[in-house]
Amino acid sequence: AVAFALRKRSAALRHQVWLAAVAASLVLPIVAPLLPAWHSDALNVAVEQLTGAAPSPGATSSGPGFVVNAIPATNHAAVWPAVLLVVWIAGTALALIRFAAGFAQMARVRARSKRLTDERSIRELTQIARASGISRPIHLFESPDPTAMPVAWGVLRPKILLPSSAREWNEDRRRIVLCHELAHVARHDCAAQILGEVVRAIHWFNPLAWLAVYSLRREGECACDDSVLNAGIQPQHYADDLLILARTLDKQSSGWLPALAMARSTDFERRITSMLNPIVDRRAPSSKSKLMVSLAAFLLLLPLAAVRLSAQNTSATFSGTVYGPDGAAASDATVVVIDIRANIRNMTASGADGRFEITGLPAGEYELQVMKLGCKTYDVPNITLQPGETRSLDVNLVSGPTEGAAALPKQTIPAKIRVAGNVEESHLFTTVPPKYPVAAKSQGIQGTVVLRAVIAKDGTVESLVVSNQADPLLARSAIEAVSHWRYRPTLLNGDPIAVETQISVIYSLKS
């Protein structure tokens, strides 16, 4: 967007913008872990609106039961991330191999070329390099191929390659070619192009990465054309020589090399049009302009590196072991971790060994509730989780009636509610089908999990308790799926009320 806004400014300035963008894309993942996390309140508000407000206590009625069959387990969800990772690695590897092959080809060209040490070549090279402000030593080579494209390459030790036919060029053409290639050296375009190729290899799937590298090369060539014209070369003379070189030299051989060719066919017509246009801005960016571009990129980079979207912020893990009143591990206990601020409930069940684990929790304040029939609800009202933290807590249940979120006080339950009268029956409109656990299926485990559920006033599932003797693997699968169900609220005299219902999840190996 910035490059487009600067379309009437010089190509060198636009090249500086593209270079800053390419460099920032490499720095971004490095800087992000080093900065404190910035959580967007706007995103949190959006999450709250999607999940609904916190339910408040109210009347509870008994709703109709619900029976659902678990679907066969599939590993597609687990396989896709691995497949995408392999595809990304393969694409990056191919791009880097292609780039490395280009370096190998340049090394072979260098080995077959002869270094020019004659007085005429050294004098021309030295004069133009001094005028371009280059103090580094530069080596000039001659390729045995008379149709080789003039190219510049090398970061620490720049090199310029001329075709053997350059001996027959007149002095003006040699000066034009050397001015153009030395402009690449003075601008450090080779290092910029290498940086761009690395970014394209990493982000090969992103069209914007290809656009950035293409624009980086295009604006770099135009900026070097401007440097030649600023050196006193007449535009018509420069355009004529460039057209002759493009017709007589081999453009294809340099198409995939990590070198900067003078007469590459990419956007050739645009370059000719630009150099013949007398009103084009050909000024090199000042030190102040370069500083402003770098500062703007830096100021944009910091918030991008610090921001944490909801999908990026789920990094904490909460685990532990549930023990029953007898001190033994308690299976099938419902574990609820409630995000206090966003009012998001994450539910699971303890396994046969009493262990539970909930991953992918955003950093923040949480409330822990553990429920099991015949035991009092275990409640820890305030738990703070930091980004990336793994918190473990052992839960010791005591005998007594289940209370709290699992079952509201009996005095709030109306004696009798007629579903067909002044109560509008709840309707389930969002379901997450329970999946048959792979481990349970391989062991031939089947059965029914009966869940006692409380549907809150906003239609979310507020609590789930296993009310029968079910296998821990099946219980965990049922709770994790049903906890994401959403209902249309039940209305009593026009007002939403909480509803207690029963859900049976059937796990059967029979087709």
Side-chain angles (χ1 to χ4, degrees), residues 489-501:
T490 296
L491 302 180
L492 173 62
N493 298 323
D495 296 323
I497 60 170
V499 175
E500 184 175 324
T501 188

Side-chain angles (χ1 to χ4, degrees), residues 368-498:
L368 171 69
Q369 293 179 348
V370 181
M371 295 167 284
K372 185 174 176 62
L373 286 179
C375 299
K376 291 184 178 180
T377 299
Y378 184 93
D379 188 13
V380 180
N382 197 335
I383 299 174
T384 302
L385 293 180
Q386 302 297 331
E389 181 182 5
T390 299
R391 178 73 66 86
S392 181
L393 178 66
D394 290 339
V395 176
N396 294 285
L397 300 176
V398 296
S399 298
T402 306
E403 55 188 13
L408 296 177
K410 291 187 178 295
Q411 58 267 26
T412 64
I413 303 177
K416 186 177 181 180
I417 297 293
R418 293 183 180 180
V419 173
N422 53 0
V423 174
E424 182 183 325
E425 183 182 353
S426 300
H427 297 286
L428 182 64
F429 69 90
T430 300
T431 61
V432 176
K435 294 184 179 181
Y436 215 123
V438 176
K441 190 174 182 180
S442 63
Q443 299 175 34
I445 299 173
Q446 56 184 346
T448 300
V449 179
V450 180
L451 301 175
R452 192 177 70 184
V454 174
I455 303 171
K457 291 182 178 182
D458 60 356
T460 60
V461 179
E462 190 175 38
S463 71
L464 290 169
V465 178
V466 180
S467 60
N468 68 329
Q469 293 295 327
D471 182 82
L473 292 174
L474 303 183
R476 178 175 297 177
S477 169
I479 288 176
E480 291 179 349
V482 175
S483 64
H484 293 90
W485 290 6
R486 295 295 180 267
Y487 290 79
R488 293 186 180 89
T490 296
L491 302 180
L492 173 62
N493 298 323
D495 296 323
I497 60 170

Side-chain angles (χ1 to χ4, degrees), residues 299-315:
L299 293 178
L300 181 61
L301 176 67
L302 287 182
L304 286 177
V307 70
R308 298 293 186 270
L309 301 180
S310 56
Q312 297 173 305
N313 190 34
T314 55
S315 56

